[in-house]
């Protein structure tokens, strides 16, 4: 009988890789009443750190962990996942999952060939400080890619963690992970652009961020309340072509690159404004004409 058919709280869970995500996830599963049985990592210090707050969590070589655990999370950097799956012996009915957003589940082909059930378990959250990340995990979404019994087990874990589940079809991971970047690191890039513009009149990042970040929070609240189109603020949403023209002229005075990115992003906002019903096609065409003509 597959081991993953045991009740979720009885599954022996193991972690190979005790980094930022491994520690946060292991601690969260332990706090949710799951049985984190063992950890294996490259360095003993990190493994000890993962195990320390968990009662009866053993530190093992990876093969012994794979032999004893019903469900193994490979939480090493993406580049090491396939090598670990390839070098270990797996067994019929156990679950083997990785937590990478962009790596296809086929990286675990050796485990599948040995009879294990393989899958992906990608928390859509940022894990910089593991203790802080463990606190911010509830309420996040975890993307599951698995079939049958393993899928049911992973969905059960998602529920235990107080998270929401998103299911991804095979072959979509790189596309899905690229999309996640827009809700993650590209926020840094967009705010970096705003800060660079502030710096053009002598303001510092330390002055700009406290002014800009509350606006980001307000925009997110507006998106959550009204959706992307109706929750979009700004001159394009109001059909204010004159203000868009001033923006383009002002940024073109700075440098061509700054104006080019602004025009590109602003053009993408026109279809949202149309979808929200805030502007009509004539107004949209007028704004698009301003944005498509590079300023001298
Ligand atoms: N961090 C995030 O925000 C985040 C978010 C979602 C998904 N993920 C995914 O989670 C996974 C882990 O990322 P991370 O940020 O936690 O990485 P990380 O902080 O760099 O930790 C990786 C851990 O794996 C260990 N390790 C490396 N090679 C190993 C090997 N061959 N055998 C055993 N252990 C090994 C490292 O050991 P040492 O400490 O001894 O070097 C380290 O503890 C990745 O697949 C990543 O894509 C990360």
């Amino acid at each position: 009988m597959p081991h993953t058919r045991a009740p979720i709280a009885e599954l022996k869970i193991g972690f190979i890789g005790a980094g930022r995500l491994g520690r946060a996830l292991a601690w969260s599963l332990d706090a949710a009443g799951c049985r984190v049985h063992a950890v294996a990592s490259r360095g003993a210090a990190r493994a000890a750190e993962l195990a320390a707050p968990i009662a009866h969590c053993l530190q093992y070589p990876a093969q012994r962990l794979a032999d004893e655990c019903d469900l193994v999370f490979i939480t090493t950097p993406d580049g090491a996942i396939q090598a670990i799956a390839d070098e270990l012996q797996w067994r019929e009915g156990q679950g083997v999952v990785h937590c990478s957003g962009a790596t296809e589940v086929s990286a675990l082909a050796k485990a599948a060939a040995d009879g294990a059930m393989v899958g992906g378990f990608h928390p859509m959250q940022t894990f910089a400080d593991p203790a802080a990340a463990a606190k911010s995990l509830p309420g996040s979404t975890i993307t599951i890619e698995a079939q049958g019994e393993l899928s049911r087990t992973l969905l059960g874990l998602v529920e235990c963690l107080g998270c929401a589940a998103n299911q991804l079809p095979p072959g979509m991971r790189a596309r899905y992970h690229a999309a996640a970047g827009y809700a993650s690191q590209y926020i840094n890039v967009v705010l970096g652009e705003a800060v660079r513009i502030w710096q053009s009149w002598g303001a510092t990042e330390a002055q700009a961020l406290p002014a800009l970040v509350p606006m980001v929070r307000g925009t997110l609240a507006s998106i959550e309340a009204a959706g992307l189109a109706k929750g979009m603020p700004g001159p394009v949403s109001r059909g204010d072509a004159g203000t868009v023209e001033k923006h383009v002229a002002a940024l073109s005075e700075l440098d061509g690159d700054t104006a080019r990115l602004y025009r590109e992003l602003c053009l993408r906002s026109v279809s949202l404004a149309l979808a929200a019903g805030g502007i009509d096609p004539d107004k949209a065409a007028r704004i698009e004409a301003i944005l498509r003509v590079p300023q001298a």
Side-chain angles (χ1 to χ4, degrees):
M1 181 200 276
H3 295 260
T4 49
R5 288 208 183 129
I8 281 185
E10 286 173 23
L11 286 176
K12 285 184 179 175
I13 298 175
F15 281 83
I16 300 179
R20 291 164 294 185
L21 179 134
R23 277 175 287 158
L25 188 54
W27 295 340
S28 299
L29 287 171
D30 176 60
C34 297
R35 186 173 171 192
V36 179
H37 177 66
V39 56
S41 200
R42 195 169 47 182
R46 279 281 172 77
E49 208 182 313
L50 184 151
I54 302 176
H56 314 300
C57 179
L58 302 160
Q59 290 175 61
Y60 278 164
Q63 185 60 61
R64 184 163 176 199
L65 181 149
D67 291 343
E68 288 191 11
C69 288
D70 303 309
L71 178 60
V72 177
F73 285 92
I74 301 180
T75 48
T76 60
D78 291 10
I81 292 171
Q82 181 162 354
I84 288 169
D86 285 353
E87 75 194 21
L88 298 179
Q89 297 302 315
W90 306 94
R91 63 190 156 73
E92 184 83 27
Q94 77 183 146
V96 182
V97 302
H98 70 61
C99 294
S100 164
T103 306
E104 290 298 337
V105 170
S106 57
L108 306 173
K110 163 67 165 58
D114 289 352
M117 297 179 284
V118 297
F121 188 91
H122 178 244
M124 295 182 69
Q125 192 48 269
T126 302
F127 296 84
D129 171 58
K135 287 197 188 111
S136 64
L137 193 57
S140 307
T141 290
I142 298 180
T143 294
I144 302 293
E145 184 184 335
Q147 308 297 320
E149 189 59 31
L150 181 61
S151 172
R152 286 187 282 281
T153 298
L154 297 181
L155 288 171
L157 290 182
V158 169
E159 200 179 320
C160 286
L161 292 167
C163 294
N166 168 47
Q167 301 208 47
L168 192 66
M172 292 295 138
R173 298 193 79 82
R175 197 185 293 185
Y176 149 82
H177 196 242
Y182 285 98
S184 178
Q185 68 270 23
Y186 300 131
I187 293 183
N188 301 51
V189 174
V190 168
L191 284 180
E193 199 62 16
V195 167
R196 234 166 37 78
I197 296 168
W198 275 55
Q199 286 167 337
S200 72
W201 63 81
T204 64
E205 177 178 326
Q207 290 168 323
L209 281 185
L212 294 166
V213 169
M215 284 181 70
V216 176
R217 289 202 193 96
T219 306
L220 288 178
S222 168
I223 292 169
E224 280 185 323
L228 282 175
K230 287 198 184 296
M232 184 181 74
V236 174
S237 71
R238 301 185 287 273
D240 181 354
T243 296
V244 172
E245 203 158 19
K246 283 184 199 161
H247 289 176
V248 171
L251 297 184
S252 299
E253 276 173 20
L254 275 182
D255 63 81
D257 223 34
T258 301
R260 198 171 311 122
L261 180 62
Y262 178 89
R263 280 201 301 269
E264 193 60 48
L265 290 173
C266 199
L267 267 171
R268 302 291 173 116
S269 72
V270 174
S271 57
L272 286 173
L274 275 169
I279 60 173
D280 60 25
D282 285 349
K283 187 67 90 176
R286 160 103 181 95
I287 293 172
E288 283 176 345
I290 294 165
L291 293 166
R292 289 219 161 92
V293 178
Q295 303 296 295

